[in-house]
Amino acid sequence: MSRLRYRVSSAARAAEDDAADPFDQALAQSVVEGLSTPQKTLPSSWFYDDEGSRLFQEIMALDAYYLTRTEHGILRSRGDELARRIAPDARPVDLIELGSGDGEKTLSLCEAIVRRGAVCVFKPMDISSHALDQLSQRFAEHLPGFPVQPLCGDYFLNWPATDPGRRQVAMFLGSNLGNQTHEGAFALLRRMRAHLRPGDALVLGLDLKKDPHVILAAYDDPEGVTARFNLNLLTRLNRELGTDFDLDQFSHYATYSPLDGVARSFIVSRRRQIVHSRRLACDFAFQAGEAIYTEQSQKYSPGMIDAMARESGFDVQCHFTDAPGWYTVVVWQAVEAAA
Ligand code: AVI
């Protein structure tokens, strides 16, 4: 085959691939911005393509990743007390879960709500319609008759309507708040607060500060699943933005600092190299050892959590914490906004 024919057919194949993978403007913009600053960054929200979501499921089942099983344990063992906080009186409840996933963690809590005899509609919200289908199936199988009204898409654009006689209880579990920066977390809490009325509640699952070795191992597991999860971001960029990242030339690096209680993940360039993006028509230069900051996971102290509640318009109702004090599920109540 002549060089020219080869170039034409590979360009045609690239065009076919591009047609199969729609161009996400927001992804393109955040990559161009994030890889053009002196400290390269890519937001962790881009981890969750199909493969990233699958790898995250694998992470949640790892021995080293204590967060999920500890949170499940609290929801199961303290479910009846939590149900009492969620439905303290005869008012019917709208239980609105942001980022519900497939509902595995919430099922036991809803079982406790049923045991309490509370009237409740579960309104799970997620960006994955597949996860919401799995959730609906799970509830139909294990808790038939329990009202579930899934909502797919942006939490705040799709916040469900309610009426004055019902108590809204928002839930944000899985330590997802910890993936936000300090300012981002406050912004998110205030947006939630804006949808709630005084007396409504917010249930949060948050990871606590603990032995730094335990935290670091959760983000640097010996099986290498977290490394694959982190590096999958580059595979996504190769597919969706036509970049030519060579995954063998990058590595996963995790840190945890007890000073600020933040676990951080990076993708480190193993050598000096230039990565080209066909679809963005630009190059990104990497020095040997240069790192892309891809994720932060905040670990909290009980004092930080209480201060966060006060500063975002809530009163702390209670903390449900596991025996070693590794993880907590907190219930906050929305207070009247100051005049
Ligand atoms: C989704 N989020 C709370 C996880 C965390 O622990 O920060 C994401 C994760 N990243 C690496 N492992 C898990």
Side-chain angles (χ1 to χ4, degrees):
M1 199 196 302
S2 75
R3 275 179 85 104
L4 181 63
R5 268 181 56 207
Y6 173 76
R7 251 191 271 135
V8 170
S9 63
S10 64
R13 211 169 30 247
E16 268 172 36
D17 290 351
D18 288 354
D21 273 308
F23 186 75
D24 185 328
Q25 192 63 48
L27 173 66
Q29 195 175 333
S30 92
V31 168
V32 170
E33 280 173 16
L35 297 189
S36 308
T37 48
Q39 173 54 69
K40 292 181 169 65
T41 54
L42 290 172
S44 59
S45 50
W46 298 117
F47 280 152
Y48 301 93
D49 63 355
D50 288 347
E51 178 62 2
S53 304
R54 194 196 62 72
L55 286 166
F56 184 52
Q57 295 290 329
E58 248 186 78
I59 288 175
M60 289 192 291
L62 290 172
D63 279 351
Y65 195 75
Y66 58 86
L67 288 82
T68 309
R69 66 171 176 280
T70 311
E71 184 180 77
H72 281 196
I74 295 170
L75 294 177
R76 266 194 309 270
S77 62
R78 313 294 295 274
D80 291 323
E81 292 162 85
L82 258 167
R84 220 176 307 134
R85 294 291 182 169
I86 287 171
D89 48 39
R91 260 179 314 159
V93 170
D94 287 334
L95 183 63
I96 303 157
E97 184 173 9
L98 286 71
S100 58
D102 63 11
E104 197 191 339
K105 54 181 179 273
T106 324
L107 181 71
S108 60
L109 179 59
C110 290
E111 284 168 345
I113 291 173
V114 170
R115 278 198 298 280
R116 179 158 173 74
V119 177
C120 178
V121 177
F122 180 34
K123 301 187 174 182
M125 296 204 256
D126 207 280
I127 49 165
S128 160
S129 57
H130 177 66
L132 288 172
D133 289 345
Q134 286 181 315
L135 180 147
S136 299
Q137 266 178 29
R138 187 187 298 278
F139 272 70
E141 199 177 313
H142 298 282
L143 212 51
F146 190 79
V148 179
Q149 294 174 7
L151 294 150
C152 191
D154 181 286
Y155 307 150
F156 297 106
L157 294 177
N158 292 297
W159 195 276
T162 188
D163 72 54
R166 302 182 70 84
R167 182 177 205 230
Q168 293 188 104
V169 179
M171 262 199 319
F172 196 44
L173 298 174
S175 201
N176 286 321
L177 190 72
N179 293 134
Q180 302 289 324
T181 60
H182 187 68
E183 301 74 40
F186 273 107
L188 196 61
L189 291 170
R190 293 208 185 96
R191 289 183 86 182
M192 291 187 212
R193 173 65 191 84
H195 282 279
L196 301 173
R197 298 152 304 189
D200 286 345
L202 175 61
V203 180
L204 288 172
L206 299 170
D207 197 17
L208 294 174
K209 290 184 175 181
K210 62 184 71 60
D211 179 345
H213 299 98
V214 171
I215 295 176
L216 186 57
Y219 295 91
D220 202 10
D221 61 279
E223 293 91 338
V225 184
T226 309
R228 289 203 290 284
F229 174 69
N230 196 13
L231 292 167
N232 177 60
L233 187 48
L234 303 185
T235 307
R236 177 174 192 177
L237 302 190
N238 284 349
R239 188 182 62 246
E240 295 191 30
L241 299 181
T243 48
D244 57 4
F245 282 102
D246 175 353
L247 267 67
D248 292 337
Q249 298 306 329
F250 290 88
S251 62
H252 165 71
Y253 178 65
T255 66
Y256 171 68
S257 168
L259 289 177
D260 57 6
V262 182
R264 294 184 171 86
S265 290
F266 300 87
I267 294 173
V268 181
S269 176
R270 292 188 194 271
R271 60 173 168 88
R272 191 158 177 233
Q273 54 188 316
I274 295 197
V275 172
H276 176 69
S277 165
R278 187 183 70 246
R279 295 183 96 179
L280 299 174
C282 67
D283 290 336
F284 303 106
F286 291 86
Q287 298 302 318
E290 188 175 357
I292 312 173
Y293 180 25
T294 52
E295 186 177 53
Q296 76 140 36
S297 302
Q298 178 74 54
K299 312 300 163 192
Y300 300 88
S301 66
M304 281 167 77
I305 296 173
D306 292 354
M308 219 162 44
R310 283 192 300 275
E311 284 168 40
S312 47
F314 294 93
D315 247 359
V316 178
Q317 296 278 288
C318 51
H319 293 228
F320 295 101
T321 305
D322 62 317
W326 281 15
Y327 196 94
T328 192
V329 175
V330 295
V331 182
W332 296 350
Q333 183 162 288
V335 290
E336 204 79 56

